[in-house]
Amino acid sequence: MGNPKIKPPSKLVLKISGHIANPDNLELIKEYCSAIREAYSKGVKIAVVVGGGTYARKYISAARSLGASESICDTLGIRVSRLNALLLTSLLKDVAYPIPPENYTEFLKAWSTGKIVVCGGFQPGQSTATVAALVAEGIDADVLALAARIDAVYDKDPKIHSDAKKLTTVTTAELKKILEEQSVKAGRYELLDPIAIKVIERSEIPVAVFDGRKVEHFKKLVYEGEIVGTLIKK
Amino acid sequence: MGNPKIKPPSKLVLKISGHIANPDNLELIKEYCSAIREAYSKGVKIAVVVGGGTYARKYISAARSLGASESICDTLGIRVSRLNALLLTSLLKDVAYPIPPENYTEFLKAWSTGKIVVCGGFQPGQSTATVAALVAEGIDADVLALAARIDAVYDKDPKIHSDAKKLTTVTTAELKKILEEQSVKAGRYELLDPIAIKVIERSEIPVAVFDGRKVEHFKKLVYEGEIVGTLIKK
Amino acid sequence: MGNPKIKPPSKLVLKISGHIANPDNLELIKEYCSAIREAYSKGVKIAVVVGGGTYARKYISAARSLGASESICDTLGIRVSRLNALLLTSLLKDVAYPIPPENYTEFLKAWSTGKIVVCGGFQPGQSTATVAALVAEGIDADVLALAARIDAVYDKDPKIHSDAKKLTTVTTAELKKILEEQSVKAGRYELLDPIAIKVIERSEIPVAVFDGRKVEHFKKLVYEGEIVGTLIKK
Amino acid sequence: MGNPKIKPPSKLVLKISGHIANPDNLELIKEYCSAIREAYSKGVKIAVVVGGGTYARKYISAARSLGASESICDTLGIRVSRLNALLLTSLLKDVAYPIPPENYTEFLKAWSTGKIVVCGGFQPGQSTATVAALVAEGIDADVLALAARIDAVYDKDPKIHSDAKKLTTVTTAELKKILEEQSVKAGRYELLDPIAIKVIERSEIPVAVFDGRKVEHFKKLVYEGEIVGTLIKK
Amino acid sequence: MGNPKIKPPSKLVLKISGHIANPDNLELIKEYCSAIREAYSKGVKIAVVVGGGTYARKYISAARSLGASESICDTLGIRVSRLNALLLTSLLKDVAYPIPPENYTEFLKAWSTGKIVVCGGFQPGQSTATVAALVAEGIDADVLALAARIDAVYDKDPKIHSDAKKLTTVTTAELKKILEEQSVKAGRYELLDPIAIKVIERSEIPVAVFDGRKVEHFKKLVYEGEIVGTLIKK
Amino acid sequence: MGNPKIKPPSKLVLKISGHIANPDNLELIKEYCSAIREAYSKGVKIAVVVGGGTYARKYISAARSLGASESICDTLGIRVSRLNALLLTSLLKDVAYPIPPENYTEFLKAWSTGKIVVCGGFQPGQSTATVAALVAEGIDADVLALAARIDAVYDKDPKIHSDAKKLTTVTTAELKKILEEQSVKAGRYELLDPIAIKVIERSEIPVAVFDGRKVEHFKKLVYEGEIVGTLIKK
């Protein structure tokens, strides 16, 4: 039957997992930046949101073992996500806003310059997935692209269930149910949290989940609207 | 059997609904400020988070009908909540931090002065309930007091079901289930959203829900640890 | 004899009374935004300053009755004026700077982007009329357009004197005298305060007063330079 | 008949002319700082507002002759006033807030620390006299002390009229009339502008004008409430 | 002959190498925090400056290999140093300023609260050693304590020259000469850069270098003024 | 043999001594602004860094004699340099970023607008020469032009040694040696400090030193790449 398709987007948010965009994956960062730069040069408007990943974990678990509050742990994770964002910015320097905006207002100001805007997290108690959803809503994006650690949404956790089925499309309602069942397994499946889903629902922006290690999937989405993974719709 | 009790708190967060703390309820604001001032003078450390309420709704629905994004609507609501916070601040001026902090970092700086800190919302995509939970976590509060529009948590929406039962205690897990069932009815029951509950769970801070129009219930909580309403615990 | 005329402006400041641009007047806001957008698309550079109006009064009188200092009352009024400014911004989003600047420096930065800039008040002790005059001076505007609650400047308060005469042109010196005489009547006539007039005098920018409920008067000013109301000149 | 007296103040704002507090008057600055420090050590709460003076004039007239807008000229003057404020701060360092606040909100935060707060101007279009009046209102000061270039208020400009009479007390209404008549003479007499007087009127804070070169007059005001100059009252 | 001694300090700056204070050294961080807390409780005023260390290197070398400018590399290093500073802050939370100040002005404001202030770097082109020297100058510290990766200053690089001699005291002039000779060897010896030394010279604050892995050396310095390492003096 | 030449730059940083760009040299400021404006109109991208000069000295020596710390003295000097920067900005207003950025991050944001950016100093402990070098590095400038108080680099201090020889080219290594020898003479020769030289070395950007009173030398550099003075290269 083939992959789901949307109209090739003229405005999009790309959320890259911090497990992918970090100092240990320079080749992948280069590929993404070159793909982003090319799309931008062809008129696609792009905002990028980067997660914290491995180094965020490192600082968070250190702080936690020192007795820090979870909000301080969040703060550390957010700051690491901005380091990752700066790595991408430094490669995109002539076409990107020079410093990752640190809250929603700063993002809007940066976006109004017409440049590519790369940011990390904003505030404790708010995931970078939620930031990506808010940013997508704020710029009225055609799609929110999730360059994830997994290659698609499954009906069960594929690491546990050998019969887990890959889903090519899923509604936000179904997704919530799937995530709830899996969340019993200790936060393993960190694609989207409830607030991010709520924002996606209210803004009705389609979400494309794909294997973040494959930059060609991002290009397919940008130029052909093809989603090699899962399309999430309201 | 009597109301549930906790140890009288020495550090607390009071979240007041914006439907209660607004320019149309000056007498109630005066009563709260006088109660807050008295508790503070007896050594209780207090942070106050105020919601947006009626005037927030007014600006939000205007913006929505003008086609504003939901994040701008959130922004308007947050700004109105800060107006309400300023009303309380102006009554508490000698014992309160003079201006409502506008994000988590500013809150921490304000709190470190030892004064009462009054704030509204922080960021789009984050409810004032979540702000209150984060603030409670950040200062390691003994209790989060919710001066609500309802007098307690019910097992069903009491406006619809005549047999709805008032709960004196409820776990966060039970609460999540109750709220999910009710949320089908269009956001009617806005006590706590999923992120706020998640923060409450991870920080293990007890939450006291009471009828916000009754300042004496706040005093009972402060001085006797008695909860005239519902105690939410992990 | 007809209405006074100036050269159609290529750069202007539009000050809209908060009694006109607020959530209770959505149709008028829409008309203004559509007129502003059209003028901008034809190359006219526009800054908009919005007052506080009804909701500012609401919060100010609440704070005053709670014993707040007048500077806090000013602060509340300014913050409400920014809410009104955000309403306009949300309609103009693709052509406007996304967030109302909060002081003169921020205004200059926003203006340098080439977008329409919408703002409210700046600082306690400074009226939005003064903000509009400063902004007009700062961008070297061709005219300061006052979309007012009254339809023109009169030689006496028309609500009291049945023989009050509408003035088609008036000098700043005459205006000061008129306002002084009326100010005895408790701040009723709030078109321009002494500092705003002083700024207008030193910058020698003409001021056009017109009935703010008639957006067509704004268009006449923009495209024909015709002032249906009063022209104030040094 | 003797000098007018008020109750010795426990909270005051001292406004020092920039013609007095600048790098050419180090001895006077030292005397003021030592007097301020002593009063503070005796429990008097003090905010200090410093004007721009000679060096402000220097930069302003340079900018004006380069064609800068008056608002930029104001900005330069404000920035010079902050330099003067920093000079005082550096002498008061252990008892003063370390950096001059740059707007009203920052002032309130600084004041809430309990330290002496020294500041210069805030915003274009607002004199340092107005800043001093707003600050006095904001902290509910017992008196606003004006260390001026003149020794008192006169009924006419004493530099022109040999029969000018020194006034020991004057109402704000009388003062406005005197200033208006003199203002014809090109801004010569820059004690208080109309907005500053309006703020003084609404807050009903008495103003003490004295010869700023005589620090002993400041001490007389602080310890005895005696005004060697002119008392301005509503 | 014994170690050099100074008067036990009542006000000090502790600079900890980022190779020591980072998430891989939690035990050492705990020991430092407990020593800092104890000294503070005995009345010693303390500012702490933390370097970037291993993780700074990680991000810097990634950015450099992506072609980032050295100023962006500095920026990344500074941001990592603030992560390390936050780790210490989270352990000292009740006695420390809650968020690392990000520039000199913010530092002064934080310091004026009387709390322990922990910070990382300030600006590109400025080492954390220079930040420590500036902060020591700004608070008029009795000593600048350098918890270093080496145990003392040597006359030659001890890793290269087996006859390198440990110095118990050294003048800033001598130190400059030693560092210059070693700097030929590619930045290996990063104790103090020329600007940091210049600030130390002009402020005449003694510097104590000791092995940062030995918290007992810090305690000896605080309580006995004994320097187990090298004393640098003008 | 003629002057050294480089390729005419398409992107440059112009550092003007504060002894040249200040309110006492309006004609020179006008000439520079007109030259800068012309070059910009021909496509040359320009950042300008202005020093503090005479008035900085005035405030610094006042503060020093009042016992201020050297960091506060630096702060005063930086603030004066920004006044000088504002003078240039006010002449370049339509083509320049409207307000001098106050740190490196703000500079990058301002630069990303494509306008001419004029700034003064950034932080205590950092010379405006270092700021200029950092800015040149950050924007990857083709040359750093130093409009100096001297007409070239000499092998000895020409004010002392009649046989001092003017150098047309010099390496950074030679320059460091020359400056060190001269620095014995009390900071007389303030062209470049060690950190500025270090930044220049790492970025490998050529530096052109010329007599700042001769605007024609700046034009020669811009349009012909000719250096009438000294070329400093790694």
Side-chain angles (χ1 to χ4, degrees):
Chain A
M1 288 201 328
N3 292 320
K5 285 209 165 193
I6 58 170
K7 219 186 115 193
S10 65
K11 199 159 52 177
L12 69 87
V13 175
L14 171 61
K15 158 79 173 61
I16 312 181
S17 164
H19 293 278
I20 287 170
N22 67 44
D24 298 330
N25 275 331
L26 294 187
E27 278 319 305
L28 208 53
I29 289 184
K30 275 188 209 166
E31 279 183 60
Y32 267 112
C33 285
S34 131
I36 290 165
R37 182 186 287 279
E38 195 190 344
Y40 180 75
S41 77
K42 290 183 176 159
V44 184
K45 303 187 101 182
I46 301 176
V48 184
V49 180
V50 189
T54 327
Y55 294 97
R57 297 290 147 97
K58 184 128 207 131
Y59 272 94
I60 287 170
S61 74
R64 199 173 277 141
S65 84
L66 292 172
S69 74
E70 284 300 307
S71 335
I72 290 298
C73 294
D74 279 4
T75 301
L76 287 164
I78 289 165
R79 290 180 171 219
V80 173
S81 70
R82 289 178 190 147
L83 290 174
N84 295 335
L86 255 177
L87 284 183
L88 271 82
T89 305
S90 68
L91 251 180
L92 294 167
K93 56 186 161 186
D94 49 317
V95 288
Y97 192 75
I99 290 288
E102 306 201 346
N103 57 50
Y104 190 71
T105 299
E106 280 183 27
F107 174 84
L108 290 181
K109 290 182 188 169
W111 184 253
S112 79
T113 63
K115 305 222 164 189
I116 296 165
V117 180
V118 187
C119 64
F122 285 168
Q123 278 281 315
Q126 191 172 64
S127 68
T128 45
T130 297
V131 168
L134 284 168
V135 156
E137 181 181 82
I139 68 171
D140 201 11
D142 298 321
V143 68
L144 167 54
L146 294 187
R149 297 172 77 187
I150 50 166
D151 64 344
V153 177
Y154 287 80
D155 65 345
K156 305 178 206 166
D157 186 335
K159 291 197 183 136
I160 298 174
H161 305 274
S162 58
D163 64 338
K165 219 168 51 192
K166 191 186 288 198
L167 304 173
T168 51
T169 60
V170 67
T171 65
T172 47
E174 289 163 356
L175 181 62
K176 265 192 283 192
K177 234 177 113 196
I178 294 171
L179 294 177
E180 264 153 40
E181 277 156 20
Q182 296 184 354
S183 75
V184 194
K185 275 94 198 161
R188 195 149 190 188
Y189 199 164
E190 289 172 349
L191 198 60
L192 289 167
D193 58 288
I195 287 284
I197 295 178
K198 194 178 139 197
V199 174
I200 289 161
E201 275 181 332
R202 75 184 188 188
S203 65
E204 303 189 20
I205 294 171
V207 179
V209 179
F210 61 91
D211 183 341
R213 285 154 303 185
K214 307 264 171 69
V215 180
E216 63 270 26
H217 292 357
F218 173 63
K219 292 183 189 169
K220 273 217 171 108
L221 173 63
V222 171
Y223 298 116
E224 298 166 43
E226 185 179 341
I227 294 157
V228 191
T230 304
L231 169 63
I232 306 170
K233 288 186 84 163
K234 201 190 162 180
Chain B
M1 289 198 330
N3 292 319
K5 285 209 165 195
I6 59 170
K7 216 187 119 193
S10 66
K11 199 157 52 176
L12 68 88
V13 174
L14 170 63
K15 157 82 172 59
I16 312 180
S17 165
H19 293 279
I20 286 170
N22 67 44
D24 298 329
N25 276 331
L26 295 187
E27 279 318 305
L28 207 53
I29 289 185
K30 276 188 207 166
E31 279 183 59
Y32 267 112
C33 285
S34 129
I36 290 165
R37 182 186 287 280
E38 195 190 344
Y40 181 75
S41 77
K42 290 183 175 158
V44 183
K45 302 187 101 183
I46 301 176
V48 184
V49 180
V50 189
T54 328
Y55 294 97
R57 297 289 148 97
K58 185 127 207 132
Y59 272 93
I60 287 170
S61 75
R64 198 173 278 140
S65 83
L66 293 172
S69 74
E70 285 299 309
S71 336
I72 291 297
C73 294
D74 279 4
T75 302
L76 287 164
I78 288 165
R79 291 183 170 216
V80 173
S81 70
R82 289 179 191 147
L83 289 173
N84 296 335
L86 255 178
L87 284 184
L88 271 79
T89 306
S90 68
L91 252 179
L92 293 167
K93 57 187 160 184
D94 49 317
V95 288
Y97 191 74
I99 290 288
E102 304 202 348
N103 57 51
Y104 190 72
T105 300
E106 280 183 26
F107 174 84
L108 290 181
K109 290 182 188 169
W111 183 254
S112 80
T113 62
K115 304 221 165 191
I116 295 165
V117 180
V118 187
C119 65
F122 285 169
Q123 279 282 315
Q126 192 174 62
S127 67
T128 45
T130 298
V131 168
L134 283 167
V135 156
E137 181 181 83
I139 68 172
D140 202 10
D142 298 321
V143 68
L144 166 54
L146 294 185
R149 295 171 79 188
I150 48 165
D151 64 344
V153 178
Y154 287 79
D155 64 345
K156 306 177 205 166
D157 187 335
K159 291 196 182 137
I160 298 173
H161 304 275
S162 58
D163 64 336
K165 218 168 53 192
K166 192 186 287 198
L167 304 172
T168 51
T169 62
V170 68
T171 66
T172 47
E174 289 162 355
L175 181 62
K176 266 193 280 193
K177 236 177 112 195
I178 293 171
L179 294 176
E180 264 153 39
E181 278 157 20
Q182 296 184 353
S183 75
V184 194
K185 274 97 198 158
R188 196 148 189 190
Y189 198 164
E190 290 172 348
L191 196 60
L192 289 167
D193 58 288
I195 288 285
I197 296 178
K198 194 179 139 197
V199 174
I200 289 162
E201 274 180 332
R202 75 184 188 188
S203 65
E204 304 189 19
I205 293 171
V207 179
V209 179
F210 60 91
D211 183 343
R213 284 154 303 184
K214 307 265 171 69
V215 181
E216 63 269 25
H217 292 357
F218 172 63
K219 292 184 189 170
K220 274 217 170 108
L221 173 63
V222 172
Y223 298 115
E224 298 165 44
E226 184 178 341
I227 294 157
V228 191
T230 304
L231 170 64
I232 306 170
K233 289 186 84 162
K234 202 190 160 181
Chain C
M1 290 194 331
N3 292 321
K5 284 210 167 194
I6 58 170
K7 216 185 120 195
S10 65
K11 198 159 52 176
L12 70 87
V13 174
L14 170 62
K15 157 79 173 61
I16 312 181
S17 165
H19 292 280
I20 287 170
N22 66 45
D24 299 329
N25 276 330
L26 294 187
E27 279 318 305
L28 207 52
I29 289 184
K30 276 187 207 168
E31 280 184 59
Y32 267 111
C33 285
S34 133
I36 290 166
R37 182 185 288 277
E38 196 190 343
Y40 181 75
S41 77
K42 291 184 175 157
V44 183
K45 303 188 101 184
I46 302 176
V48 184
V49 181
V50 188
T54 328
Y55 295 97
R57 296 291 147 95
K58 184 125 208 134
Y59 272 94
I60 287 170
S61 74
R64 197 173 279 140
S65 83
L66 292 172
S69 74
E70 284 300 308
S71 335
I72 290 298
C73 294
D74 279 3
T75 301
L76 287 163
I78 288 164
R79 291 181 169 218
V80 173
S81 69
R82 288 177 191 149
L83 290 174
N84 295 336
L86 255 178
L87 283 184
L88 271 80
T89 305
S90 68
L91 251 179
L92 295 167
K93 56 187 160 184
D94 49 317
V95 288
Y97 191 74
I99 289 288
E102 305 202 347
N103 57 50
Y104 190 72
T105 300
E106 280 183 26
F107 174 83
L108 291 180
K109 290 181 187 169
W111 184 254
S112 78
T113 62
K115 304 223 164 189
I116 296 165
V117 180
V118 187
C119 64
F122 284 169
Q123 278 281 317
Q126 192 173 63
S127 67
T128 45
T130 297
V131 168
L134 284 168
V135 156
E137 181 181 83
I139 67 171
D140 201 11
D142 298 322
V143 67
L144 167 54
L146 295 185
R149 297 172 78 187
I150 49 166
D151 64 344
V153 177
Y154 287 80
D155 64 346
K156 306 177 206 168
D157 186 336
K159 290 198 183 138
I160 299 174
H161 304 275
S162 58
D163 64 337
K165 218 168 51 192
K166 191 186 286 197
L167 304 172
T168 51
T169 61
V170 67
T171 65
T172 47
E174 289 162 357
L175 180 63
K176 265 193 282 193
K177 234 177 115 197
I178 295 171
L179 294 178
E180 264 153 40
E181 278 157 18
Q182 296 183 354
S183 74
V184 194
K185 274 96 201 157
R188 195 151 191 187
Y189 199 165
E190 288 172 349
L191 197 60
L192 289 167
D193 58 287
I195 287 284
I197 295 179
K198 194 178 139 197
V199 174
I200 288 162
E201 274 180 333
R202 76 185 187 187
S203 65
E204 303 190 20
I205 293 171
V207 179
V209 179
F210 61 91
D211 183 342
R213 285 154 302 185
K214 308 263 172 71
V215 181
E216 63 269 25
H217 291 357
F218 172 63
K219 292 183 190 171
K220 274 217 171 109
L221 173 63
V222 171
Y223 297 115
E224 298 166 43
E226 185 179 340
I227 293 157
V228 191
T230 304
L231 170 64
I232 306 170
K233 288 186 83 162
K234 202 192 159 177
Chain D
M1 290 197 328
N3 292 320
K5 286 209 164 194
I6 58 170
K7 217 185 119 194
S10 64
K11 198 157 54 176
L12 68 88
V13 174
L14 171 63
K15 158 81 172 60
I16 312 181
S17 165
H19 293 279
I20 286 169
N22 66 44
D24 299 329
N25 276 330
L26 294 187
E27 279 318 306
L28 207 53
I29 288 184
K30 276 188 209 167
E31 280 183 60
Y32 267 112
C33 285
S34 130
I36 290 166
R37 183 185 287 278
E38 195 190 343
Y40 180 75
S41 76
K42 290 183 174 158
V44 184
K45 302 188 99 183
I46 301 177
V48 184
V49 180
V50 188
T54 328
Y55 294 97
R57 297 289 148 96
K58 184 126 208 133
Y59 272 94
I60 287 170
S61 74
R64 198 173 278 140
S65 83
L66 292 172
S69 74
E70 285 299 309
S71 336
I72 290 298
C73 294
D74 280 3
T75 302
L76 287 163
I78 288 164
R79 290 181 172 219
V80 173
S81 70
R82 289 178 191 148
L83 290 174
N84 295 334
L86 255 178
L87 284 184
L88 271 81
T89 305
S90 68
L91 251 179
L92 294 167
K93 56 187 158 183
D94 49 316
V95 288
Y97 191 74
I99 290 288
E102 305 201 348
N103 57 50
Y104 189 71
T105 300
E106 280 183 27
F107 173 82
L108 291 181
K109 289 182 189 170
W111 184 253
S112 79
T113 63
K115 304 222 165 189
I116 295 165
V117 180
V118 187
C119 65
F122 284 168
Q123 278 281 314
Q126 191 173 63
S127 67
T128 44
T130 298
V131 168
L134 283 167
V135 156
E137 181 181 82
I139 67 171
D140 202 10
D142 298 321
V143 67
L144 167 53
L146 294 186
R149 297 173 77 187
I150 49 166
D151 63 344
V153 177
Y154 287 79
D155 64 346
K156 305 176 206 168
D157 186 336
K159 291 199 182 132
I160 298 173
H161 304 275
S162 58
D163 64 337
K165 218 167 53 194
K166 190 186 289 199
L167 303 172
T168 50
T169 61
V170 67
T171 65
T172 48
E174 289 162 357
L175 181 63
K176 266 194 280 192
K177 236 178 112 196
I178 294 171
L179 294 177
E180 264 153 39
E181 278 158 19
Q182 296 184 356
S183 75
V184 194
K185 274 96 198 160
R188 196 150 191 188
Y189 199 165
E190 290 173 350
L191 196 59
L192 289 167
D193 59 286
I195 287 286
I197 295 178
K198 194 178 137 196
V199 174
I200 288 161
E201 275 180 331
R202 76 184 187 187
S203 65
E204 304 190 18
I205 293 172
V207 178
V209 179
F210 60 91
D211 183 342
R213 287 155 301 186
K214 307 265 171 67
V215 182
E216 63 269 26
H217 292 357
F218 172 63
K219 292 184 190 171
K220 273 217 169 111
L221 173 62
V222 171
Y223 298 116
E224 298 165 44
E226 184 178 342
I227 293 157
V228 191
T230 303
L231 170 63
I232 306 170
K233 291 186 81 163
K234 202 190 159 178
Chain E
M1 291 194 329
N3 292 320
K5 285 210 166 193
I6 59 170
K7 215 184 122 197
S10 65
K11 199 159 51 177
L12 68 88
V13 174
L14 170 63
K15 158 82 171 60
I16 312 180
S17 164
H19 293 279
I20 287 170
N22 67 44
D24 299 329
N25 276 331
L26 294 187
E27 279 317 306
L28 208 52
I29 289 185
K30 276 189 208 166
E31 279 184 59
Y32 267 112
C33 285
S34 132
I36 290 165
R37 183 187 287 280
E38 195 190 344
Y40 180 74
S41 76
K42 290 184 175 158
V44 183
K45 302 187 101 182
I46 301 176
V48 184
V49 180
V50 188
T54 327
Y55 295 96
R57 296 289 147 97
K58 184 126 208 134
Y59 273 93
I60 287 170
S61 75
R64 198 173 278 140
S65 84
L66 292 172
S69 74
E70 284 300 309
S71 337
I72 290 297
C73 294
D74 280 4
T75 301
L76 287 163
I78 288 164
R79 289 181 172 220
V80 173
S81 70
R82 288 177 192 149
L83 290 174
N84 296 335
L86 255 178
L87 284 183
L88 271 80
T89 305
S90 68
L91 251 180
L92 294 167
K93 56 186 160 184
D94 48 317
V95 288
Y97 191 74
I99 290 289
E102 304 201 347
N103 57 50
Y104 189 70
T105 299
E106 280 183 26
F107 174 83
L108 291 181
K109 289 182 189 170
W111 183 254
S112 78
T113 63
K115 305 220 164 191
I116 296 166
V117 180
V118 187
C119 65
F122 284 167
Q123 279 281 314
Q126 192 174 62
S127 67
T128 45
T130 297
V131 168
L134 283 168
V135 156
E137 181 181 84
I139 67 171
D140 201 11
D142 298 321
V143 67
L144 167 53
L146 294 186
R149 296 172 78 187
I150 49 165
D151 64 344
V153 177
Y154 287 80
D155 65 346
K156 304 177 206 167
D157 186 336
K159 292 199 181 133
I160 299 173
H161 305 275
S162 58
D163 64 338
K165 219 169 51 193
K166 191 186 289 199
L167 304 171
T168 50
T169 61
V170 67
T171 65
T172 48
E174 289 163 357
L175 181 63
K176 266 193 282 192
K177 235 177 115 197
I178 294 171
L179 294 177
E180 264 153 40
E181 279 157 19
Q182 296 183 356
S183 76
V184 194
K185 274 97 199 156
R188 197 151 189 187
Y189 199 164
E190 289 172 350
L191 197 60
L192 288 167
D193 58 287
I195 287 284
I197 296 178
K198 194 178 139 197
V199 174
I200 289 161
E201 274 180 331
R202 75 185 187 186
S203 65
E204 303 189 20
I205 293 171
V207 179
V209 178
F210 60 92
D211 183 342
R213 286 154 303 185
K214 307 265 172 68
V215 181
E216 63 269 27
H217 292 357
F218 172 63
K219 292 184 191 170
K220 274 218 170 109
L221 173 63
V222 171
Y223 298 115
E224 298 166 43
E226 184 177 341
I227 294 157
V228 191
T230 304
L231 170 64
I232 306 171
K233 289 185 84 163
K234 204 193 157 179
Chain F
M1 288 197 330
N3 292 320
K5 285 211 166 194
I6 59 171
K7 215 185 119 195
S10 65
K11 199 158 52 177
L12 68 87
V13 174
L14 171 62
K15 158 80 171 61
I16 313 180
S17 164
H19 293 279
I20 287 170
N22 66 45
D24 299 330
N25 275 331
L26 294 188
E27 278 318 305
L28 207 53
I29 288 184
K30 276 188 208 167
E31 279 184 59
Y32 267 112
C33 285
S34 131
I36 290 165
R37 182 185 288 278
E38 195 189 345
Y40 180 76
S41 77
K42 290 182 175 159
V44 184
K45 301 187 101 184
I46 301 176
V48 184
V49 180
V50 189
T54 328
Y55 294 97
R57 296 291 148 96
K58 184 125 208 136
Y59 272 94
I60 287 170
S61 74
R64 199 174 277 140
S65 84
L66 293 172
S69 74
E70 284 301 307
S71 336
I72 290 298
C73 293
D74 279 4
T75 302
L76 287 163
I78 288 164
R79 291 182 170 218
V80 173
S81 70
R82 288 179 192 148
L83 290 174
N84 296 335
L86 254 179
L87 284 184
L88 271 81
T89 305
S90 68
L91 251 180
L92 294 166
K93 57 187 158 182
D94 49 318
V95 288
Y97 191 75
I99 290 288
E102 305 201 347
N103 57 49
Y104 189 71
T105 300
E106 279 183 25
F107 174 83
L108 290 181
K109 289 182 189 170
W111 183 253
S112 79
T113 63
K115 305 221 164 190
I116 297 165
V117 180
V118 187
C119 64
F122 284 168
Q123 278 281 315
Q126 192 173 63
S127 68
T128 45
T130 297
V131 168
L134 284 167
V135 156
E137 182 182 83
I139 68 172
D140 201 11
D142 298 320
V143 68
L144 167 54
L146 294 186
R149 297 172 77 186
I150 50 166
D151 63 344
V153 177
Y154 287 79
D155 64 345
K156 305 177 206 167
D157 186 336
K159 292 200 182 132
I160 299 174
H161 304 275
S162 59
D163 65 338
K165 217 168 53 194
K166 191 186 287 200
L167 304 172
T168 51
T169 61
V170 68
T171 65
T172 47
E174 289 163 356
L175 180 63
K176 265 194 281 192
K177 237 179 112 196
I178 294 171
L179 294 177
E180 264 153 39
E181 279 157 19
Q182 296 184 356
S183 75
V184 194
K185 274 97 199 158
R188 195 151 192 187
Y189 198 165
E190 290 172 350
L191 198 58
L192 289 167
D193 57 289
I195 287 284
I197 295 178
K198 193 178 139 198
V199 174
I200 289 161
E201 275 180 331
R202 75 184 188 187
S203 65
E204 303 191 19
I205 294 172
V207 179
V209 179
F210 61 90
D211 183 341
R213 284 154 305 186
K214 307 263 171 70
V215 181
E216 63 270 24
H217 292 357
F218 172 63
K219 293 183 188 170
K220 272 216 171 111
L221 173 63
V222 171
Y223 298 115
E224 299 166 42
E226 184 178 341
I227 294 157
V228 191
T230 304
L231 170 62
I232 305 169
K233 288 186 85 163
K234 203 192 158 178

